[in-house]
Amino acid sequence: MTAFKLDIDGDGIALITWDMADRSMNVITMEVIEELSALVDKVSSDAAIKGAVITSGKEAFCGGADLTMLESMGAIYADKVRKEGEVAAAQYVYEESSKLSQLYRRLEKSGKPWVCALNGTAMGGGFELALACHHRVASDNPKTRLGLPEIKVGLFPGAGGTQRVVRIMPPADALQFLLKGDQLKVDRAKAMKLIDNVVPQDKLVETAKAWIKAGGKGEAPWDVKGYKFPGGLVYSKAGMMTFPPANAIYRRETYDNYPAARAIMQVVYEGLQLDIDTALRVESRHFAKVLRSPEATAMIRTLFVNMQDLNKGARRPANVPATNLKKIGIVGAGFMGAGIAQVSAAVGLNVVLVDRDQETADKGKAGLHKAMSDRVMKGRMKGAERDALLEKITATADYAALKDCDLIIEAVFEDRKVKADVIKKIEAVIGDKAIFASNTSTLPITSLAAEFKDQKRFIGIHFFSPVDRMMLVEVIMGKETGDAALATALDFIRAIRKTPIVVNDTRGFYANRCVLAYIQEGHLMFLEGIPAAMIENTARMAGMPVGPLSLNDETGVDLGLKILRATEADLGAGAVNPGMKKLLEDLVEKNQRLGRKNGKGFYDYPQGQPKKLWPGLAELSPKKLSRDEVEAIDVEELKQRFLVAQAVEAARTFEEHVVTDVREADVGSILGWGFAPFTGGALSYIDMMGTKKFVALCRKLEAKYGKRFAPGKQLVEMAEKGESFHTRFAPKKKAA
């Protein structure tokens, strides 16, 4: 065996240690399923074995299924559809994808007691293994997380997870746990009855064995005669108080865009009316169906396979040795600069935070203290952790403090003159090997680098706000940027545990070009007289996390006006829409509505209350529609406009070589601005529809609404040839 080690002690208790030799973390593969199956047979058939304890030889217990296995299953399915037909292909997926569920049920019904000794994190199929065991003990490791996060990659727990969870806790709690994909600390998991005991690490296996010795039974509660569901039956008073509102919440949160979320609702509802074996078969059938869906295929590819590639350094120059970053300089102690300081200090980097005077620099650090103190008050952070983090940050007005920094990031105002002045001050004090990065969100890096003598060391590192929560960082290559600067930027991003995409220089780069297309579409709809509430709601129906007007408030309505005016100054009046310009001027200059930062933008933000659309908005629309005209609006077309406006812009950036890797285009679109995750990203959305259909839709929208929907030459050519982005531009994998 290569994945497991078997030891049987003098009491006849088998200790099975899961420790895959070729992996840093245990994952479920077909080989693991075969080996574990043999062990289940051994334990159940050997009269000398009284029971079994399964644990891990690694820091974590299991990271879940190897999703590349499921991805390849999807490829085989597509091939079988072509060669053998849909029925044979679907049967193949069902048989292969249900093997793990059947194995866990065999373990559960083996007649011998099984205990899972969770020494560390257990996710997905790894935690489903724990749930199939008759007793679960976890170590008191504060880093341990337990959960079923499959929903986040377009799947749901398909190895018995939905049916066992809903038999452990009331259905309302089970649905919330399954649909959110939360990762729980051990004390929370114990309170939810998902595990039975928490003990010190050095007592873990001993405690697990003691349960078997004390007469622990090899029978699950739901296999015992007289078992009752913890939340009562579906058709009971409790059931009626759960499922109708749960369905309404599901619709409100997903707009039925996610097949896996719908499947969770269905298998829980149906499973509670069936015996466990039938319920497990129902779960397996739904899992096989979801696995074959285009949404699951796209989400697995983007949010697991491709994101993993990028996090492991798929775009890092191989010729540059690993950098050993110890000290970071950040110039600009505002909201963005302070956020970068926070995430850097959180991973142990020393940070110098510089601003124009000591008071402003101190104010930036004080803001972090307040934000983290709020987290301490809510029990999300310990006071000692906050203090240790803040100790790593030195706030100063003295640029000389940057002299021994390995990487310096400027995060000052989006003003070319201000940035030029700061660049000169920094260059005067830093070493000749230090890397300089600008956090500009729109200004071309090459033009900013003109102020810096050694342009090979100049790069763009664009963070998204709020820095501590947004997982994407956009790295922008200037024309002269060298490999050392790129490698340093990527090493820094990996150190702060974020996902990088590398793009080439242009106004707005990749993310902001697409974001602005989304926000612009919302503005133009508003100028057409479409009610603001309808704009926001249809955007969410299309799959966007927030509407374009709400997003504009978050990014800053005043920033939007600054970007528009900078574009006009650089490219001429024809480059901006006069109606949009007037709308933003009316909001910012006539009504001082800057966005969320000053409590008023497209929305009002009353203290301690939910935000509400500003009643005065209607007065700013140049066109008023009657009720009949509003009711006649094609909602489906509005949804298409939102997604197509962004996707066609993403395709343009790809054609222009701004973004050069399909993985980065898709991952960047979801992590950067929340492009409908169920599509797998902006280019995956085009592939899912098919380039031919997408170009036809672009032409239709172009004829009705203008050239912003015009498909590029490359896209038209791909449509004519029937090509997709992920086949024509499939990335070459690095050698392992």
Side-chain angles (χ1 to χ4, degrees), residues 416 423 443-452 455 458 478-479 505:
R416 198 178 288 278
I423 290 167
L443 298 174
I445 287 297
T446 303
S447 64
L448 290 176
E451 307 292 337
F452 198 79
Q455 294 186 27
F458 197 106
K479 281 185 182 175
D505 199 16

Side-chain angles (χ1 to χ4, degrees), residues 273-406:
Q273 301 173 68
L274 302 167
D275 65 87
I276 184 72
D277 288 299
T278 309
L280 289 171
R281 285 201 301 277
V282 167
E283 181 194 72
S284 292
R285 289 186 179 280
H286 280 284
F287 184 78
K289 181 181 177 183
V290 168
L291 189 58
R292 302 196 317 268
S293 71
E295 291 87 354
T297 300
M299 288 180 76
I300 290 170
R301 180 178 60 209
T302 299
L303 295 173
F304 179 77
V305 179
N306 291 348
M307 197 154 88
Q308 200 172 65
D309 286 348
L310 298 181
N311 287 337
K312 287 180 178 177
R315 296 297 309 279
R316 191 187 187 282
N319 60 321
V320 181
T323 52
N324 184 23
L325 296 171
K326 292 180 180 175
K327 194 172 183 181
I328 304 296
I330 298 162
V331 181
F335 186 64
M336 186 66 79
I340 301 169
Q342 178 186 340
V343 297
S344 302
V347 296
L349 293 170
N350 292 309
V351 178
V352 177
L353 184 61
V354 179
D355 214 308
R356 62 180 181 269
D357 53 52
Q358 190 64 47
E359 183 183 354
T360 309
D362 288 341
K363 185 179 177 183
K365 187 173 178 179
L368 287 179
H369 184 277
K370 182 183 182 303
M372 285 187 280
S373 294
D374 289 344
R375 292 182 65 190
V376 172
M377 293 288 287
K378 292 173 183 174
R380 295 176 185 169
M381 189 180 203
K382 291 178 181 175
E385 292 173 333
R386 173 200 61 201
D387 296 342
L389 189 153
L390 290 170
E391 264 184 43
K392 291 276 183 186
I393 302 171
T394 303
T396 180
D398 185 5
Y399 276 77
L402 300 169
K403 68 177 185 298
D404 54 351
C405 289
D406 306 303

Side-chain angles (χ1 to χ4, degrees), residues 504-522:
N504 289 318
D505 199 16
T506 186
R507 179 175 296 278
F509 318 127
Y510 170 60
N512 274 345
R513 274 182 59 171
C514 299
V515 168
L516 292 173
Y518 174 53
I519 292 173
Q520 173 185 260
E521 204 57 36

Side-chain angles (χ1 to χ4, degrees), residues 209-270:
K209 287 184 173 183
W211 184 82
I212 295 173
K213 286 191 240 180
K217 295 277 193 291
E219 192 172 30
W222 35 89
D223 287 320
V224 176
K225 191 174 181 180
Y227 165 78
K228 291 184 179 180
F229 293 115
L233 301 172
V234 167
Y235 293 105
S236 65
K237 184 178 178 181
M240 288 300 102
M241 290 174 69
T242 297
F243 286 96
N247 187 52
I249 293 167
Y250 156 76
R251 292 277 174 175
R252 183 190 72 198
E253 295 299 317
T254 70
Y255 290 95
D256 209 21
N257 285 323
Y258 294 85
R262 170 187 270 264
I264 287 172
M265 295 288 294
Q266 200 158 353
V267 298
V268 168
Y269 178 78
E270 292 177 6

Side-chain angles (χ1 to χ4, degrees), residues 26 135 139 263 317-318 443 537 594 604 665:
N26 294 324
H135 192 70
S139 73
L443 298 174
N537 289 336
L594 311 183
D604 282 324

Side-chain angles (χ1 to χ4, degrees), residues 480-539:
E480 303 298 327
T481 302
D483 282 355
L486 175 58
T488 301
L490 292 176
D491 289 349
F492 169 62
I493 293 163
R494 188 172 189 175
I496 60 173
R497 303 184 186 118
K498 295 193 182 291
T499 298
I501 62 169
V502 180
V503 305
N504 289 318
D505 199 16
T506 186
R507 179 175 296 278
F509 318 127
Y510 170 60
N512 274 345
R513 274 182 59 171
C514 299
V515 168
L516 292 173
Y518 174 53
I519 292 173
Q520 173 185 260
E521 204 57 36
H523 290 171
L524 294 175
M525 287 180 183
F526 181 75
L527 296 175
E528 291 166 21
I530 298 172
M534 191 175 200
I535 293 167
E536 297 291 86
N537 289 336
T538 50

